[in-house]
Amino acid sequence: MIAEAGHFALVLALGLALIQSVVPIIGARLHDGALMNVARSTALAQLLFVAASFFALATLYVVSDFSVLNVFQNSHSLKPMIYKITGVWGNHEGSMLLWVTILALFGGLVAAFGNNLPLTLRAHVLAVQGWVATAFYLFILLTSNPFTRIASPPMEGRDLNPVLQDIGLAVHPPMLYLGYVGFSIAFSFAVAALIEGRIDAAWARWVRPWTLVAWIFLTLGIAMGSYWAYYELGWGGWWFWDPVENASLMPWLAGTALLHSSVVMEKRNALKVWTILLAILTFSLSLLGTFLVRSGVLTSVHAFATDPTRGVFILLILCTFIGGSLTLFIWRASTLKQGGLFAPVSREGALVLNNLFLTTACATVFVGTLYPLALEVITGNRISVGAPFFNLTFAPLFVPLLIAVPFGPLLAWKRGDLLGASQRLIAAGVGSVIAVAVLWAWTRGGSTFAPLAIGLAVFVIIGALCDLAERVNLFRASLPVSLRRAKGLPRSAWGTVFAHAGLGVALIGIVCETTWNTEYIASMKINDVARVGGYSLTFEGTTQHQRSNYREDIARFTVSRDGQPIAVMMPSKRNFTTRAASTTEAALLTRGASQLYISLGEATADGSIAVRIYHKPMVLLIWFGPVLMAFGGVLSLSDRRLRVGAPKPAKAGWRTLQPAE
C-alpha cells in the first residue's frame, strides 16, 4: 500500500507540474493576477506530493519491503539502518526521485520566499520550473518507476553495491544534486527574462542568491565526492579526470563565472546578454551531467542506468531544454538593452577576464570529456582522454586567472588604477617570493615549477588579506578604528576574502600532494617494516570479524617515528557474500594537514599481504580549501543586502531598480 501511495503521489505531482507549466503563462498573457498566482500554490502543492513520494520510498527501504523491485535490487534486511536510508538514492530510480524532489524544493522556496518578485516574473519563473519538472516526472513514471512491484516477492534482497555502503553516500549525492538542480532557478530566471524581454540590475540581484546557494552546495558536493573516492576506492588519488567527475566540474566552472558576471550586472547594469547566456549554459551543463551519469553511456560507480530507452529519453529532455532555451536566446537577445560601459582596466574588466578563463577552462573539460564519446559513436573507435591532456590544457588556464584574482577587488568600478592596485599588493608579492625561495632551499625532488605554484597560491591568499586590510585601513588608522571598520564591513566582502583564500589553500594542497607524495607498494609478512615519509610502519598480522552483512579482514600496523610509537592503523578488506564483491577500507592517520594512508591488496599463499602505503603531505588542504570557499559563499549569502534582494516594485509594473553601490 505504501508503494501505491508513493506512486500515486508522484502522478499527482506530475498533474500539478502540468498546471504550473501552463496556467501562469496564460495568466501573464491575460494580465490575470489570479491565474498567475496559481504558480505559487501549485509549486507548494507539488513539493508536498513529491516529498510524500520520496518519503514513501524511504519507508519501503527502512522496512525492507522486497516486494518492490527497487528495494529488492538495492537493499538487504541485515544492512545497517544508515545504509538502508542512503540506499534510497544509491540507485538509478531513487536518485532520479531525489533529483525531482530537490527540483520541487527549489520551486517551493521561490514560491514561498519570492514575494518581492514582480508577479509576472514569478509566474514565468515557476512555469519554467514546471516545464523541467514535467519532463523528469514523465521520465521517472515511464522509464524509471521506483515503485514497481514484483509478482512473487523474494524473502531477501540483493543488497546495495558495496562501494556505496559508506557514510559518504549520505552526503555526496544530495549535496551534488542541490548544486545541479539549484542552477535550474537561474535557468528559469533567464528564460523568464527572455520571454518578457526585460532584464536589469534588479534581475541580477534577484537571481544571485539562488545561484550562490547552488554554487555552495555544488562546491561541497564535489569536495565530498573527491574525499569519498580518496578514502573509499583505495587508490590513494583524489581526482582522476573521470567523465563523471568532469560532469560535476563543468557546471561548477560555469556557475562560478555566472556568479561573477551577475555581480557586474548588479553593480554596473552591464554584461546582460552574457549573464543570461551563462545562466542557460550552467543549467544545461547540469542536465548534461545528469545525462552522462544516468543514461548508461558511461561505466562508473556513479552510472546506474543500463536501459537504452532511458538514455534516449534523457537525451530528448537535454535537446528540448538546451535547444529550446538557446533558440529563445538567439531570438530575444538582440532586444535586450546593453548596460553601462567600462574601461578594460577596471573591476568589471577583471571580472570579464575571470569569465574568459573560467569558460575557456570549462570548454576544455567539455571537449576532453565528450570527444571520446562522440568519436566512438561516429567511428566505433575507443580512445581515452585522461590526466595528461587535462593537466596540459586545463592547468595553464588557471595560472593567469589566479594572478588576476587578487587584483579584481582592488580595482575601482568603471575605471581602475592598475599601478595603484599593484602597489597595494606589494605585501602579497613579497610573501610569494619568500615562499618560493624557502621551498627551493628546503625541498628536494619534484617539479621545478612546484615552488612557483605554491608561491602563486601564497600570492592569492595574501592578496585576499590585502583587500581586507585596504577596506579597514589597517596600519593607516588606529587599531580600534580598523576593528570598527572591519565589524562594519558587509558580509559579502568577508565572503569574497574567504572564497579567494580558499582557492589558494586548495592549490597548496594539490601541489604538495602531487609533488612530494611518497609511496611504498609491496607484499608484507608479519613483523615486516615499511619506511615512508619518515615514518616506520610494522605489520603485526590480520584478524577476521563477521559483521551484519559482510566479513572483514583487518590488518594491524604500528606506526612509529624516530623509534617512538605514535599510532596504530587498521586497514581492512570487506567481503559481501550477497553481492559476491569486496571493498578496501583504507586506514588514515592525520598529522597536521598531512596523512599516512594504507590500503590492502590480496593475500598470497605464503601468508603475506599486498599493501599500498602513502605519505601525502598537506593533502587535507585540498578539501579544506573548498570548505573555506563554501564558507565564504555562506557569509555572502548571509549579507542582508543579498538576502533581502531587490525592493518590491510598485504595482505599475517591473521597474528598473538600481542597487546601492
Side-chain angles (χ1 to χ4, degrees):
M1 189 63 187
I2 295 176
E4 286 71 27
H7 183 264
F8 186 58
L10 202 57
V11 173
L12 288 177
L14 169 62
L16 289 165
L18 285 168
I19 295 172
Q20 182 181 327
S21 303
V22 177
V23 174
I25 297 290
I26 297 174
R29 292 293 170 270
L30 299 177
H31 303 288
D32 188 325
L35 291 180
M36 286 189 281
N37 275 320
V38 167
R40 186 173 185 272
S41 55
T42 51
L44 293 172
Q46 183 197 147
L47 172 59
L48 177 66
F49 282 109
V50 74
S53 180
F54 186 82
F55 179 76
L57 183 61
T59 303
L60 293 171
Y61 270 83
V62 169
V63 301
S64 296
D65 187 347
F66 299 122
S67 67
V68 176
L69 180 62
N70 184 260
V71 181
F72 162 69
Q73 291 178 334
N74 300 283
S75 192
H76 192 279
S77 61
L78 296 179
K79 192 167 62 174
M81 181 58 69
I82 181 64
Y83 299 140
K84 287 184 178 181
I85 296 172
T86 59
V88 174
W89 53 81
N91 59 87
H92 171 76
E93 293 83 1
S95 67
M96 292 311 302
L97 184 57
L98 175 65
W99 204 99
V100 294
T101 302
I102 294 174
L103 182 70
L105 173 63
F106 276 101
L109 289 174
V110 172
F113 300 105
N115 293 327
N116 62 328
L117 297 174
L119 188 57
T120 55
L121 178 63
R122 189 177 70 184
H124 281 121
V125 168
L126 291 176
V128 176
Q129 286 289 109
W131 299 345
V132 178
T134 298
F136 279 94
Y137 286 137
L138 287 172
F139 171 73
I140 293 173
L141 291 169
L142 296 178
T143 72
S144 308
N145 186 359
F147 299 105
T148 301
R149 290 281 192 181
I150 300 175
S152 300
M155 294 296 295
E156 191 54 85
R158 292 180 179 174
D159 207 356
L160 179 66
N161 182 345
V163 174
L164 302 179
Q165 293 190 37
D166 183 82
I167 194 63
L169 188 68
V171 180
H172 169 53
M175 285 280 189
L176 208 59
Y177 280 10
L178 283 165
Y180 273 166
V181 183
F183 285 124
S184 66
I185 300 297
F187 173 82
S188 297
F189 268 93
V191 173
L194 289 172
I195 291 172
E196 296 197 5
R198 291 180 290 183
I199 180 173
D200 53 23
W203 179 92
R205 183 171 287 192
W206 286 319
V207 79
R208 195 151 70 95
W210 300 103
T211 305
L212 190 54
V213 167
W215 181 86
I216 290 169
F217 281 116
L218 188 56
T219 301
L220 292 174
I222 292 173
M224 183 65 234
S226 170
Y227 191 66
W228 172 79
Y230 166 73
Y231 73 77
E232 177 64 23
L233 300 184
W235 300 337
W238 50 272
W239 192 264
F240 304 98
W241 292 109
D242 178 271
V244 175
E245 293 174 327
N246 296 347
S248 63
L249 180 61
M250 288 187 287
W252 185 86
L253 291 169
T256 305
L258 173 61
L259 271 178
H260 290 86
S261 178
S262 63
V263 171
V264 177
M265 187 173 166
E266 178 188 341
K267 296 293 186 182
R268 297 287 304 143
N269 201 24
L271 301 184
K272 293 181 179 180
V273 175
W274 175 242
T275 304
I276 289 285
L277 179 60
L278 274 178
I280 292 172
L281 291 179
T282 301
F283 184 59
S284 297
L285 290 169
S286 296
L287 288 177
L288 178 64
T290 301
F291 169 73
L292 290 176
V293 176
R294 298 292 175 249
S295 66
V297 300
L298 299 176
T299 301
S300 166
V301 294
H302 307 77
F304 305 117
T306 55
D307 183 357
T309 305
R310 295 171 174 174
V312 172
F313 204 117
I314 295 183
L315 184 60
L316 288 174
I317 293 174
L318 198 70
C319 293
T320 300
F321 285 102
I322 297 179
S325 58
L326 290 178
T327 301
L328 180 63
F329 174 79
I330 293 170
W331 177 43
R332 300 286 285 177
S334 61
T335 65
L336 300 177
K337 293 182 179 179
Q338 297 299 319
L341 300 176
F342 53 87
V345 178
S346 62
R347 190 175 300 187
E348 297 97 322
L351 292 172
V352 168
L353 188 67
N354 158 289
N355 271 222
L356 175 64
F357 285 116
L358 284 171
T359 51
T360 304
C362 182
T364 300
V365 178
F366 180 87
V367 171
T369 303
L370 293 189
Y371 177 72
L373 299 176
L375 185 67
E376 184 178 354
V377 169
I378 296 172
T379 67
N381 298 323
R382 286 194 173 189
I383 65 168
S384 176
V385 176
F389 167 80
F390 291 106
N391 291 340
L392 289 173
T393 56
F394 181 85
L397 291 170
F398 259 67
V399 172
L401 173 63
L402 291 172
I403 293 173
V405 162
F407 285 90
L410 294 172
L411 292 172
W413 293 104
K414 197 171 182 179
R415 184 179 297 277
D417 180 4
L418 186 59
L419 179 60
S422 301
Q423 291 172 341
R424 291 192 287 272
L425 287 172
I426 288 177
V430 171
S432 65
V433 170
I434 292 173
V436 172
V438 169
L439 286 167
W440 264 335
W442 284 6
T443 59
R444 296 290 182 271
S447 171
T448 306
F449 294 106
L452 294 174
I454 292 181
L456 179 58
V458 170
F459 178 70
V460 171
I461 296 170
I462 300 179
L465 297 177
C466 287
D467 174 43
L468 185 62
E470 284 293 320
R471 288 174 177 268
V472 301
N473 275 345
L474 190 64
F475 305 127
R476 293 201 303 269
S478 64
L479 185 59
V481 171
S482 294
L483 291 176
R484 282 199 302 271
R485 289 179 65 91
K487 186 177 180 180
L489 278 180
R491 291 182 185 175
S492 58
W494 286 97
T496 299
V497 171
F498 278 102
H500 288 178
L503 195 61
V505 169
L507 180 59
I508 291 175
I510 291 170
V511 174
C512 288
E513 194 279 334
T514 54
T515 304
W516 295 294
N517 170 53
T518 55
E519 64 181 9
Y520 176 93
I521 302 175
S523 292
M524 297 182 68
K525 295 181 179 180
I526 294 177
N527 295 325
D528 281 354
V529 179
R531 291 178 173 80
V532 181
Y535 296 90
S536 297
L537 296 93
T538 305
F539 176 46
E540 297 183 347
T542 60
T543 56
Q544 193 173 97
H545 297 272
Q546 183 63 44
R547 308 299 186 187
S548 57
N549 64 325
Y550 61 88
R551 188 183 73 253
E552 187 172 30
D553 296 315
I554 304 175
R556 179 184 175 93
F557 290 81
T558 299
V559 183
S560 59
R561 188 179 182 100
D562 299 327
Q564 298 297 318
I566 57 175
V568 173
M569 299 180 67
M570 302 177 70
S572 67
K573 285 190 75 71
R574 296 176 179 177
N575 294 294
F576 294 77
T577 54
T578 305
R579 282 268 181 170
S582 63
T583 63
T584 297
E585 300 298 314
L588 302 174
L589 175 62
T590 300
R591 304 278 289 175
S594 304
Q595 283 189 331
L596 275 173
Y597 180 111
I598 307 178
S599 175
L600 298 182
E602 298 298 327
T604 59
D606 61 358
S608 63
I609 188 168
V611 297
R612 289 173 174 263
I613 304 175
Y614 302 93
H615 176 246
K616 296 181 171 292
M618 311 304 287
V619 68
L620 291 181
L621 296 185
I622 295 174
W623 301 290
F624 180 67
V627 170
L628 204 60
M629 293 164 67
F631 177 69
V634 172
L635 279 179
S636 295
L637 194 63
S638 68
D639 193 315
R640 185 178 181 276
R641 295 180 303 173
L642 205 57
R643 281 184 289 128
V644 172
K648 189 171 182 178
K651 294 182 179 180
W654 178 5
R655 294 182 292 114
T656 299
L657 301 171
Q658 296 295 339
E661 291 292 338

